[in-house]
Amino acid sequence: MCQYNAFKTDTKIRFLSFILMFTGLILSSCVNNPLQPVSSEEEQRVKAELDDRSFRQFDPSKDADKRKAVIIDFFNGVSLWAQYAEGMYALDEWEISSEDYRVEKAGSEYRIYFEAPHSRQIIPTECDNCIETTGISISIQNLFNREKIRFKLNIENDNFPRPFPIFESWTKFNEDESYE
């Protein structure tokens, strides 16, 4: 009887060890889930969902004396517009746009990469293609749920003019109303 209980306890310990190891393996694969290109069908579905939509966000708010603003729009491709303003005056304003973009996915995150991007600075000095576009992408979470959609901006270098860095964590952007 004593040997039976020892065997039973040993089996339970092995089983629990296996469960813990398996759970750890699953959790680590979720955390380190690398981005992968999506199929052309899924990319078309993503683009159809975003087509002709625009999202904006302000930090800390649109009425703050000193504020940063970002607009992401999907009219004719993708555009990322950014501004820093104090009071009624914009001090820095720039935009990165592209007629097309590619899509990758990891778990519930879709990541948008600009294809052949064009940049322009509007304020303080106008210039074309003077903003470095390497290393920026847009992440989208809950893409197909209009109430829960979230964005974050991925910036791999510090070459961007202010108002960056902002919105580098998941943030609810306000969607502009569309008029058809």
Side-chain angles (χ1 to χ4, degrees):
M1 180 84 149
C2 195
Q3 284 181 336
Y4 176 74
N5 283 338
F7 174 76
K8 196 173 167 182
T9 303
D10 187 48
T11 303
K12 283 182 183 178
I13 290 172
R14 287 183 188 181
F15 180 73
L16 287 174
S17 296
F18 173 77
I19 294 294
L20 287 172
M21 186 174 63
F22 185 72
T23 303
L25 231 166
I26 289 174
L27 288 175
S28 69
S29 71
C30 292
V31 170
N32 297 322
N33 198 358
L35 289 158
Q36 297 290 322
V38 298
S39 68
S40 59
E41 294 82 19
E42 187 170 11
E43 183 169 276
Q44 290 309 311
R45 198 177 110 198
V46 167
K47 289 180 176 182
E49 181 68 22
L50 293 169
D51 192 36
D52 292 332
R53 293 176 73 185
S54 178
F55 305 88
R56 66 181 62 227
Q57 189 52 275
F58 298 88
D59 181 38
S61 73
K62 73 176 191 171
D63 298 320
D65 185 48
K66 295 180 180 181
R67 65 198 170 281
K68 301 169 186 179
V70 171
I71 298 175
I72 302 169
D73 78 49
F74 296 92
F75 302 111
N76 303 315
V78 61
S79 173
L80 173 65
W81 172 90
Q83 182 187 77
Y84 174 74
E86 292 184 9
M88 297 182 60
Y89 301 99
L91 302 178
D92 291 293
E93 184 175 341
W94 56 269
E95 177 181 31
I96 297 172
S97 60
S98 177
E99 291 179 9
D100 199 11
Y101 55 91
R102 65 184 167 86
V103 180
E104 291 185 354
K105 183 179 181 183
S108 65
E109 173 188 350
Y110 286 96
R111 190 167 292 183
I112 306 295
Y113 296 92
F114 295 83
E115 290 287 324
H118 171 79
S119 70
R120 70 184 181 109
Q121 182 172 289
I122 301 127
I123 298 173
T125 306
E126 282 191 50
C127 60
D128 282 337
N129 289 319
C130 57
I131 306 292
E132 175 62 46
T133 59
T134 305
I136 188 157
S137 61
I138 302 167
S139 289
I140 306 170
Q141 193 177 54
N142 302 314
L143 172 61
F144 299 102
N145 185 332
R146 289 182 180 256
E147 299 299 317
K148 294 184 178 181
I149 191 170
R150 301 284 186 267
F151 294 88
K152 73 175 179 174
L153 303 176
N154 309 296
I155 302 166
E156 295 177 6
N157 60 49
D158 286 330
N159 294 338
F160 292 99
R162 298 299 160 223
F164 283 96
I166 62 171
F167 307 119
E168 292 180 310
S169 60
W170 292 111
T171 304
K172 169 106 173 107
F173 277 52
N174 299 312
E175 184 167 4
D176 293 327
E177 291 185 31
S178 60
Y179 301 97
E180 296 181 35

